[in-house]
Amino acid sequence: MADLNELVYLVARQMAKGGNSSKDNPTPDPAPGTCDTGNRFDGRLGLRISAIFVILLGSLFGAVFPVFANRHKRVGVPDWAFFIAKYFGSGVIIATAFIHLLAPANEALTNSCLTGPITEYPWVEGIALMTVFVLFFTELMTIRFADFAGMEEEMDIEHNDKSSSVARKNSHVPGDDHLGHIREHTDPEADDTVRKRPREDYAAQLTAIFILEFGVIFHSIFIGLTLAVSGDEFKTLYVVLVFHQTFEGLGLGSRLAVTPWPKSKKSTPYLLALAYGLTTPIAIAAGLGVRETYPPESQTTLIVNGVFDSISAGILIYTGLVELMAHEFLFSNVMRQASTKVMLSAFGMMCLGAEMIQEAVARKMQVFAMTEHMPRDRVEDMYPEELAASQTPADLIRMHDDFYTEAARLRTAYSSQIHLFIGFECDWIRPSSRGLIEDLLNKHRYDLFIGSVHHVHAIPIDYDRQLYVMARAKSGGTDKQLFEDYFDSQFDMLQAVRPPVVGHFDLIRLNSDDPNGAFRQWDSVWQKAVRNLSFIAEYGGIIEINSASLRKGMNEPYPKREICEVFLAKGGRFTLSDDSHSTKQVGLNYSRLFDFLGQCGISTLYRLIKSETASDSRFPQSSYEPINLVDLKSAGFWA
């Protein structure tokens, strides 16, 4: 689409050049030194004036709306729309540089009417090349010497004002029961190097935005002047420019929307979007004001247009290839600090996501939920492998956002083959985790989230045996005491956020002395577990029957049969989960789950559906429907 749009624009520019020429009445090339000093303005003033307002609205919509929608999630713009705008807009920007900046610049500076040094060298490519080097040097010096410390502190203050919410994202989270989520959050107690986005990263982002803005504004000025005094080709150029300016605005606006602006500069993206939106209309108005005297084909105008088109081309080539493409992967903070293993894992994330969905389709699954772990906001909550990769809480948010973007893409790509839903798994560590969960729900439009507890006393209990023993020591030294604390922490999570689905209810047994032991052996532990089950049933939560425990060597899924039977007696509902972290784990051990469900007396499962009558206001587009186990017996995923 981007290339087609640019091709149409190029055709329009060629038409503008051709004017009324024909085979029968050819227009001879001007002689050197005799450039045309007039223009092709042919009236239609009312239509030209309308172009000012139509292009103004299109440009402002393209540039302003992504910023507004990103800050006001309740507008209801689907995330796939942001995904399309971001990458489609980037394509438009890159195509702009190569197709209708370099080509018209070459056209202008090689016009046969020009004379002197401008004709003695291929200045278009030379000017574009020099621009690239100047921009690189500018950014290099900005990163090295610019002082954005004060603005970074404002960013930290703003994040902290929002109830410590944002999360991070890891490409891989330790422990088989982790998925790796990240959201960006600043912790007032964390070290400065972790709390603050590295100065050079922030400087680079702002420099890139201003460079991009500078390039598109330069380019837009001459577009407006050309349209104002064009001749027979005016109508074609009018229509093409409306679409072009709107899509180029989307490219700029999507970048303004995701840039981390400090609190005192929250209006800056709107001002930059406004500047872009006004530039072409103002240029059109100026062109109309001098319509009788402005000579688009004069020697001075040709040189000015050619030089500035060349500069704009260099700006957009540098911005498109370096800032919009390379920085997405090659030079991101996460990739710079990560180990080779993490880097390759991140590279494979997109492929892995698609492969897992393909596996789900191959296993004849009709519904598949893609979830990622919620980021943790403190360095002390990070896992050993994350620390070894020099990752920070700020890194994790980018990875979680990438997960969501890719999940949204997969949902659209496979919509005809399987019903895909997007969620996250919350990691309840302490009461402040509630703020992180609520902020994450406000940031993206999820279909669900899974409530789970992976930490007791802020120590992971399912990562490995060593950390489990540390948590147990904090509880008093016995499995019984740690189990009690686990179910108390789980109850705090249930009361605070009422998750629609509760994940691996009895995860605490994974690294215990007897992972297959009965919970009833300790009255105090059993009472707390039953209390939690009662609460889940009361608010209408669903417990997942999770096959992950079977691949870890236990003889029953999460939760154990004794727990399932009590929850069923309380009117509780169940759903299936494989907790898969790789393609091979999709549907793994489901054949054993079918027999287990029968042994527990479970005859009905619940699955996600799209619905306009959602029972949970946090997820207005999704609900759960019952499906009889007898009807599911012939499903292919049990095999």
Side-chain angles (χ1 to χ4, degrees):
M1 287 293 293
D3 291 340
L4 179 60
N5 186 40
E6 305 307 328
L7 180 60
V8 172
Y9 183 83
L10 184 58
V11 170
R13 289 288 293 260
Q14 295 299 331
M15 290 176 63
K17 179 186 176 185
N20 293 321
S21 62
S22 69
K23 240 196 261 185
D24 298 329
N25 184 28
T27 301
D29 290 337
T34 58
C35 294
D36 188 357
T37 56
N39 62 51
R40 298 188 179 92
F41 179 79
D42 59 0
R44 295 180 286 184
L45 187 60
L47 190 59
R48 294 175 192 269
I49 292 175
S50 74
I52 296 175
F53 300 100
V54 173
I55 290 179
L56 174 65
L57 290 176
S59 300
L60 285 178
F61 173 81
V64 173
F65 184 72
V67 179
F68 179 82
N70 189 55
R71 294 185 178 182
H72 302 80
K73 293 298 181 182
R74 298 190 183 279
V75 171
V77 178
D79 288 270
W80 57 262
F82 285 104
F83 177 84
I84 292 174
K86 178 180 179 181
Y87 292 101
F88 180 81
S90 296
V92 170
I93 288 170
I94 295 170
T96 295
F98 284 101
I99 295 178
H100 74 252
L101 283 177
L102 283 179
N106 193 65
E107 210 176 277
L109 295 186
T110 58
N111 192 295
S112 59
C113 77
L114 297 179
T115 59
I118 198 71
T119 65
E120 298 172 2
Y121 183 81
W123 285 104
V124 174
E125 293 81 1
I127 292 171
L129 179 63
M130 287 186 286
T131 301
V132 168
F133 278 104
V134 168
L135 292 180
F136 176 75
F137 181 77
T138 300
E139 186 167 4
L140 185 64
M141 293 300 101
T142 301
I143 291 172
R144 193 171 185 85
F145 298 113
D147 185 3
F148 288 91
M151 298 173 77
E152 288 171 357
E153 289 170 2
E154 291 175 20
M155 292 173 66
D156 289 340
I157 292 171
E158 180 195 6
H159 285 305
N160 290 333
D161 285 346
K162 292 183 178 179
S163 302
S164 54
S165 68
V166 213
R168 340 155 246 170
K169 164 188 200 182
N170 343 355
S171 60
H172 172 71
V173 179
D176 285 341
D177 287 278
H178 297 284
L179 298 174
H181 305 321
I182 314 179
R183 284 198 24 157
E184 179 179 33
H185 172 64
T186 54
D187 173 26
E189 298 177 3
D191 183 84
D192 282 349
T193 59
V194 176
R195 282 195 306 114
K196 296 179 181 179
R197 188 182 298 274
R199 179 179 302 182
E200 60 271 20
D201 279 0
Y202 183 57
Q205 290 186 62
L206 287 188
T207 303
I209 283 294
F210 287 119
I211 287 173
L212 176 60
E213 177 85 10
F214 185 67
V216 295
I217 283 182
F218 248 165
H219 160 57
S220 298
I221 291 172
F222 297 107
I223 282 179
L225 290 171
T226 300
L227 180 65
V229 298
S230 57
D232 290 343
E233 73 283 357
F234 169 75
K235 289 184 178 179
T236 303
L237 203 55
Y238 184 176
V239 173
V240 170
L241 286 182
V242 169
F243 285 99
H244 171 268
Q245 290 300 101
T246 301
F247 286 124
E248 191 170 65
L250 283 173
L252 175 63
S254 63
R255 297 294 161 174
L256 294 174
V258 300
T259 298
W261 301 97
K263 188 174 183 180
S264 65
K265 306 294 181 183
K266 298 304 280 186
S267 62
T268 301
Y270 287 110
L271 294 176
L272 294 175
L274 181 64
Y276 168 80
L278 291 174
T279 302
T280 300
I282 290 175
I284 295 173
L288 291 176
V290 296
R291 61 187 181 276
E292 302 295 340
T293 58
Y294 177 69
E297 299 294 327
S298 71
Q299 181 166 330
T300 300
T301 303
L302 286 173
I303 293 175
V304 171
N305 279 3
V307 169
F308 280 101
D309 273 356
S310 300
I311 293 173
S312 294
I315 290 173
L316 298 190
I317 288 172
Y318 179 83
T319 302
L321 299 182
V322 177
E323 306 295 349
L324 305 188
M325 292 176 64
H327 279 194
E328 290 287 334
F329 296 100
L330 299 179
F331 308 121
S332 72
N333 189 45
V334 175
M335 294 305 121
R336 230 180 10 250
Q337 298 179 1
S339 65
T340 301
K341 177 182 177 182
V342 171
M343 181 186 68
L344 293 176
S345 297
F347 176 77
M349 283 290 285
M350 292 172 60
C351 299
L352 175 61
E355 288 172 3
M356 291 181 69
I357 303 306
Q358 290 167 1
E359 180 67 17
V361 172
R363 294 181 69 90
K364 296 182 171 53
M365 293 183 177
Q366 297 177 354
V367 176
F368 194 79
M370 301 172 286
T371 61
E372 176 66 293
H373 277 266
M374 182 190 81
R376 288 135 284 130
D377 65 327
R378 301 186 183 186
V379 177
E380 59 264 32
D381 295 335
M382 297 187 72
Y383 292 97
E385 66 179 33
E386 295 168 338
L387 296 174
S390 300
Q391 292 179 327
T392 68
D395 295 330
L396 299 179
I397 186 170
R398 298 185 185 93
M399 296 171 68
H400 188 81
D401 289 344
D402 289 346
F403 153 76
Y404 188 90
T405 299
E406 177 64 7
R409 185 192 71 80
L410 290 170
R411 178 166 57 187
T412 301
Y414 289 91
S415 59
S416 63
Q417 303 177 60
I418 190 171
H419 299 292
L420 296 176
F421 294 88
I422 305 174
F424 68 91
E425 183 176 348
C426 78
D427 290 326
W428 185 269
I429 300 176
R430 55 184 65 85
S432 62
S433 298
R434 176 175 181 171
L436 300 177
I437 295 167
E438 292 174 347
D439 283 353
L440 195 54
L441 287 171
N442 290 329
K443 183 173 187 180
H444 296 299
R445 297 186 67 191
Y446 295 100
D447 299 304
L448 78 158
F449 75 90
I450 298 172
S452 62
V453 175
H454 296 89
H455 298 70
V456 179
H457 307 303
I459 301 173
I461 47 86
D462 64 323
Y463 182 78
D464 59 23
R465 172 71 176 178
Q466 181 180 359
L467 289 174
Y468 175 88
V469 171
M470 289 175 59
R472 186 171 65 182
K474 282 265 190 178
S475 289
T478 68
D479 281 348
K480 173 178 174 292
Q481 292 168 309
L482 181 57
F483 281 27
E484 291 174 349
D485 290 343
Y486 169 83
F487 283 117
D488 282 341
S489 182
Q490 186 183 69
F491 190 57
D492 291 341
M493 179 270 295
L494 295 171
Q495 290 181 306
V497 297
R498 300 191 174 206
V501 176
V502 179
H504 35 60
F505 180 87
D506 53 352
L507 177 66
I508 187 63
R509 62 189 171 100
L510 173 62
N511 287 310
S512 66
D513 291 341
D514 184 9
N516 295 314
F519 287 95
R520 292 177 185 268
Q521 64 180 300
W522 298 306
D523 288 341
S524 58
V525 171
W526 182 246
Q527 289 172 10
K528 292 177 185 291
V530 171
R531 172 201 61 193
N532 294 2
L533 293 171
S534 298
F535 187 77
I536 297 169
E538 288 170 7
Y539 76 75
I542 296 175
I543 285 182
E544 64 170 15
I545 306 293
N546 187 324
S547 65
S549 62
L550 300 176
R551 72 171 184 259
K552 299 172 191 295
M554 287 179 270
N555 56 22
E556 291 182 285
Y558 302 123
K560 291 173 60 66
R561 177 176 173 177
E562 58 182 342
I563 292 174
C564 291
E565 290 174 342
V566 170
F567 190 59
L568 182 64
K570 293 179 178 293
R573 300 181 296 170
F574 298 89
T575 191
L576 287 182
S577 169
D578 54 25
D579 206 346
S580 54
H581 291 65
S582 68
T583 304
K584 292 180 179 179
Q585 294 173 358
V586 174
L588 185 63
N589 289 314
Y590 266 17
S591 58
R592 296 171 62 183
L593 286 191
F594 188 85
D595 295 335
F596 176 82
L597 294 171
Q599 294 166 7
C600 295
I602 298 172
S603 59
T604 303
L605 293 172
Y606 287 78
R607 65 181 179 186
L608 269 169
I609 59 169
K610 288 292 183 183
S611 173
E612 296 181 358
T613 57
S615 57
D616 192 329
S617 61
R618 297 172 296 183
F619 311 104
Q621 294 183 327
S622 61
S623 187
Y624 298 85
E625 70 172 5
I627 182 167
N628 194 285
L629 197 59
V630 174
D631 297 331
L632 275 179
K633 188 174 183 179
S634 59
F637 57 75
W638 297 113

